[in-house]
Amino acid sequence: MVQFALLDWIWIILFLLLMIGCGVLFYRLGKRSESDFFLAGRGLPWWLPASSVYATHTAVDTPMWVAGVIYKHGLAGIWYAFFSAWCAISAFVSTRIFRRSLAFTQAEWQSLRFTGLGSELLRGWMTGWQVFMTMFNMGWVGIAMGRICQYLFGWPTWVGLVVFSSICAIYVLTAGYWGVVMADFQQGIVAFSAILIVSIWGVITAGGPQGIVNGLAELGQSWRLNPFHFTGWLSGDFPLAWFITMMVIALIGGFGMGTSIDWYLEAQRIQSARTVRDASYSIWWGTALVIIRNSLWAAAILGFFVMFPNLTEAREYEMGWFRLGFDYLPVGMLGFFFAAILAIHLSTVSSVLNLGAMYVTRDLYHHYINTEAPQEKLVWIGRLATVIILLGSFILGLMMEEITKWLIFALWIMAAGVWLPNILQVIWWRFNAWGYLSAWMANLGLSWLVVWILPAFHVIPPLPDYLQFWALMVLTSLIYLPVTFLTKPEDMGHLVKYYVMSRPIGFWGPVRREAERRGLMGSMEPPQQPGS
Amino acid sequence: MKLIRREWTPAEADEWAREDWLAILLSPLAYIGLAVGVALAMLLIPIGFVILAIAIILIILMHWVIDPKLKLISTEYEKKQKQYLESLEKTIRWEDAEWTKD
């Protein structure tokens, strides 16, 4: 347990008051409409959603995870955390296309891109999946916060989970996305400052930059300073083939939508930006901060390794960065550090909470239950959904020990076999809703076969994860490609409408020619509607 | 013809052009440079500063290339956003917009 001085508690209380104050301050803006409650009225300059991208993707379990891979693999471990680089290409491709579609959510985008029963099935599936995932994510980071509080104060884990998520819910309920993004801006500054201060402090504590380099040399571990230290083409625990796969998944994935689990959160930030340009820069710069943050952590964890080179238990070395803060920062700074951890935690929870509520309100209630609902009612439904998501996250968080390994598998299922379909839906006009749906279904079955069943019966050897990815990608395509070609293309009128609005990249020749034939290209101007 | 085009008409800016592909290429390189450069520079390893400097140059270059195009796309698109939003609201109410039909 850690002892806090009076100054430490002052830091924490001030910070919490600041966060809740945000909710009160932006209450009037948040309640104006559905668009305000979930997208801040689509009017934000790029730096606000950028700070939200950064703050949201800095969760309390992130430093543990980054510390784990850096301690184990040296600087080469930064590539494990490089998956966020899907935004490199996305910022100038899928972000631009999605922003122009104006869809509130990825589920809504499905019904703009596809049509008919298939599109509605996809919208329903995507909504259900995202509502569940938001509860799961909140439970996941909530229980991580519970464990940190247990380490610091000796509280039962449920206390940290329930107390801080509930505090966060106050400003999400009050001001919706306005509260989220304004709090994220402050939380982003606090969190980045703390990461910078603690990491520099950690480097100094370990003997300074030169001390770390010398210390690694004395330990015979200088290879840890090489970010491209591979263990072979295919062999060892860090082969070049893994690195190439990771780069392909992360970077080429930027042409698609949903190739990363983070896409769904970013999609909200993209639509909240006031212009296409602001959307692009918000995604690019928010992710740049994430990448810089990872590297700051990496340097500090190398220092931690020099100080404690013989840790073998993951749960010990994964706490490396937290230990540098709590064990070595001077008195009075501990409260600042804990406030920063709260910032890291609240920014993630608030964003996920508002995202889940948006799917319930926009895609479930507004589209399927009450299409004529007035704006005031939609905001209240958003608040009700926020409470439901919050309660669901408590239940999942407390069940986490039992379900985690199954859900990690579920996340893997989601990523591998639908990675390419997630790109095809953006770049290829002929890919239809049935092809995309069949990819999801096929991936569900094939993942079990490739990852669990066939290796268990010795039909195939257990494959490393990067080979599982390629195998699932190829096998799934053997199902969704025939399904696509055996079913009709989407309605041409619907595709033309989508094309003119979004101007997607890739293979859209027939749709473009039809749009030109209808006189819809060039000016981007929709003709006046009859009677208007 | 200039290698990098910085003046566009609205219709031209809407097309996917060489400048878009250049941004798509420069952007991941800049991220890789940032990741490696910051970590090594934190440890005062000289090559880290060189890589970081290259990353910053790539970022500036990327913005220089893509910004005029993005600005114009945004300006033109925002003029029509209101109509598109009306169309979106019709979609959520299960009404198809009429403006794309023959």
Side-chain angles (χ1 to χ4, degrees):
Chain A
M1 286 175 53
V2 175
Q3 292 296 323
F4 278 12
L6 179 65
L7 185 58
D8 295 319
W9 288 112
I10 290 173
W11 277 114
I12 294 165
I13 292 166
L14 277 177
F15 177 74
L16 286 175
L17 286 175
L18 188 67
M19 292 303 100
I20 297 168
C22 271
V24 178
L25 206 61
F26 290 93
Y27 165 71
R28 284 183 183 279
L29 293 180
K31 72 171 186 174
R32 290 187 302 193
S33 66
E34 186 183 31
S35 169
D36 275 290
F37 197 75
F38 294 118
L39 298 175
R42 301 180 194 265
L44 300 178
W46 69 269
W47 47 273
L48 270 172
S51 64
S52 185
V53 166
Y54 165 75
T56 301
H57 294 298
T58 310
V60 282
D61 62 333
T62 323
M64 296 182 199
W65 186 68
V66 174
V69 291
I70 298 294
Y71 192 94
K72 200 171 167 189
H73 301 290
L75 272 192
I78 55 174
W79 305 120
Y80 279 90
F82 202 65
F83 57 82
S84 52
W86 62 270
C87 296
I89 291 177
S90 172
F92 303 111
V93 181
S94 54
T95 292
R96 192 155 116 193
I97 295 166
F98 186 77
R99 175 61 180 75
R100 293 178 64 138
S101 79
L102 297 173
F104 272 62
T105 64
Q106 182 63 21
E108 184 163 35
W109 183 85
Q110 304 287 345
S111 58
L112 298 175
R113 165 66 178 83
F114 303 119
T115 186
L117 178 63
S119 108
E120 295 304 327
L121 286 173
L122 272 175
R123 189 170 188 164
W125 156 253
M126 191 66 73
T127 302
W129 176 249
Q130 279 306 305
V131 169
F132 174 76
M133 283 307 298
T134 51
M135 289 183 195
F136 171 68
N137 283 340
M138 278 187 58
W140 175 281
V141 296
I143 209 68
M145 190 66 198
R147 285 175 188 146
I148 288 171
C149 291
Q150 189 178 41
Y151 167 75
L152 289 175
F153 311 116
W155 298 347
T157 47
W158 69 267
V159 176
L161 164 72
V162 172
V163 168
F164 293 112
S165 294
S166 301
I167 288 173
C168 184
I170 295 172
Y171 66 82
V172 181
L173 279 167
T174 315
Y177 185 72
W178 274 108
V180 172
V181 80
M182 292 304 171
D184 273 0
F185 179 65
Q186 300 161 61
Q187 287 157 356
I189 292 171
V190 172
F192 195 85
S193 306
I195 290 167
L196 191 63
I197 290 168
V198 174
S199 298
I200 291 173
W201 193 265
V203 168
I204 293 168
T205 307
Q210 198 57 50
I212 293 172
V213 173
N214 294 341
L216 287 171
E218 284 166 20
L219 291 164
Q221 300 282 330
S222 291
W223 61 268
R224 288 176 183 274
L225 292 168
N226 180 2
F228 299 100
H229 179 81
F230 303 112
T231 52
W233 282 94
L234 296 167
S235 58
D237 58 359
F238 196 69
L240 186 60
W242 178 92
F243 176 75
I244 292 169
T245 305
M246 175 68 190
M247 285 292 161
V248 169
I249 294 173
L251 298 178
I252 305 300
F255 283 99
M257 294 180 189
T259 51
S260 160
I261 194 168
D262 295 336
W263 166 263
Y264 303 94
L265 271 163
E266 309 304 17
Q268 189 181 15
R269 273 126 202 90
I270 290 166
Q271 288 301 357
S272 70
R274 65 184 169 192
T275 67
V276 174
R277 177 174 175 261
D278 286 273
S280 290
Y281 289 159
S282 70
I283 292 297
W284 200 92
W285 279 103
T287 305
L289 283 176
V290 168
I291 286 168
I292 292 169
R293 173 208 74 187
N294 291 344
S295 296
L296 294 174
W297 273 334
I301 294 303
L302 282 183
F304 180 78
F305 178 86
V306 170
M307 294 161 72
F308 305 98
N310 298 316
L311 302 179
T312 53
E313 295 290 325
R315 66 182 171 193
E316 286 185 287
Y317 58 73
E318 282 179 352
M319 288 296 284
W321 186 73
F322 286 110
R323 285 184 58 184
L324 288 174
F326 284 120
D327 295 352
Y328 297 99
L329 278 179
V331 176
M333 285 300 285
L334 286 183
F336 171 73
F337 187 43
F338 187 70
I341 292 171
L342 282 180
I344 286 170
H345 180 58
L346 298 189
S347 59
T348 307
V349 169
S350 61
S351 295
V352 176
L353 199 52
N354 188 250
L355 179 76
M358 179 165 69
Y359 274 93
V360 172
T361 308
R362 180 75 181 177
D363 295 302
L364 192 63
Y365 182 79
H366 197 175
H367 187 55
Y368 290 117
I369 298 173
N370 186 356
T371 55
E372 301 296 335
Q375 293 297 315
E376 190 184 359
K377 187 163 190 177
L378 290 169
V379 170
W380 275 106
I381 293 294
R383 290 186 174 129
L384 179 65
T386 304
V387 173
I388 293 168
I389 302 276
L390 181 71
L391 295 176
S393 77
F394 292 159
I395 295 167
L396 281 180
L398 294 171
M399 289 166 64
M400 207 54 86
E401 292 287 352
E402 291 77 24
I403 62 170
T404 295
K405 70 175 179 182
W406 297 104
L407 282 168
I408 293 293
F409 177 63
L411 292 178
W412 177 231
I413 284 174
M414 200 184 88
V418 291
W419 180 82
L420 189 54
N422 279 331
I423 296 174
L424 291 178
Q425 66 177 343
V426 175
I427 67 166
W428 185 30
W429 78 278
R430 182 62 181 80
F431 195 55
N432 62 15
W434 299 111
Y436 191 57
L437 264 175
S438 67
W440 274 94
M441 299 304 120
N443 187 45
L444 191 68
L446 288 168
S447 300
W448 284 93
L449 277 177
V450 171
V451 179
W452 296 67
I453 297 172
L454 296 181
F457 287 96
H458 306 291
V459 179
I460 59 170
L463 299 172
D465 53 4
Y466 65 90
L467 283 182
Q468 285 174 359
F469 171 81
W470 292 112
L472 282 169
M473 197 176 88
V474 172
L475 289 172
T476 313
S477 69
L478 297 177
I479 294 172
Y480 67 74
L481 285 178
V483 169
T484 302
F485 284 116
L486 289 170
T487 48
K488 286 182 181 174
E490 301 297 343
D491 172 69
M492 187 52 86
H494 191 85
L495 287 175
V496 165
K497 179 184 165 191
Y498 168 75
Y499 183 84
V500 173
M501 273 181 77
S502 302
R503 293 297 177 92
I505 198 170
F507 308 99
W508 287 82
V511 182
R512 184 191 171 93
R513 282 191 289 278
E514 180 61 20
E516 283 170 345
R517 193 185 69 76
R518 296 185 189 193
L520 293 168
M521 297 296 292
S523 69
M524 285 177 42
E525 186 161 2
Q528 292 295 303
Q529 295 197 23
S532 63
Chain B
M1 188 181 163
K2 284 182 180 175
L3 187 64
I4 304 296
R5 190 172 175 181
R6 302 196 78 236
E7 287 178 10
W8 304 83
T9 65
E12 288 167 344
D14 248 359
E15 304 294 331
W16 294 92
R18 178 174 50 197
E19 284 70 15
D20 294 298
W21 288 101
L22 201 53
I24 287 167
L25 179 72
L26 292 172
S27 173
L29 293 175
Y31 274 176
I32 291 169
L34 278 181
V36 175
V38 170
L40 294 179
M42 270 282 281
L43 298 169
L44 300 184
I45 296 171
I47 189 70
F49 292 101
V50 175
I51 295 171
L52 191 55
I54 292 171
I56 292 167
I57 291 167
L58 289 176
I59 292 168
I60 294 167
L61 187 60
M62 180 186 79
H63 278 76
W64 186 78
V65 167
I66 201 67
D67 196 58
K69 197 165 184 285
L70 273 181
K71 261 185 191 160
L72 195 57
I73 290 171
S74 297
T75 310
E76 289 301 306
Y77 183 80
E78 305 317 316
K79 285 179 191 167
K80 307 300 166 201
Q81 181 163 302
K82 194 177 170 205
Q83 286 110 308
Y84 288 140
L85 278 170
E86 284 168 8
S87 169
L88 185 76
E89 292 309 310
K90 285 190 172 184
T91 304
I92 203 164
R93 293 196 302 268
W94 303 79
E95 301 164 16
D96 279 327
E98 296 293 322
W99 60 265
T100 56
K101 293 191 176 160
D102 272 326

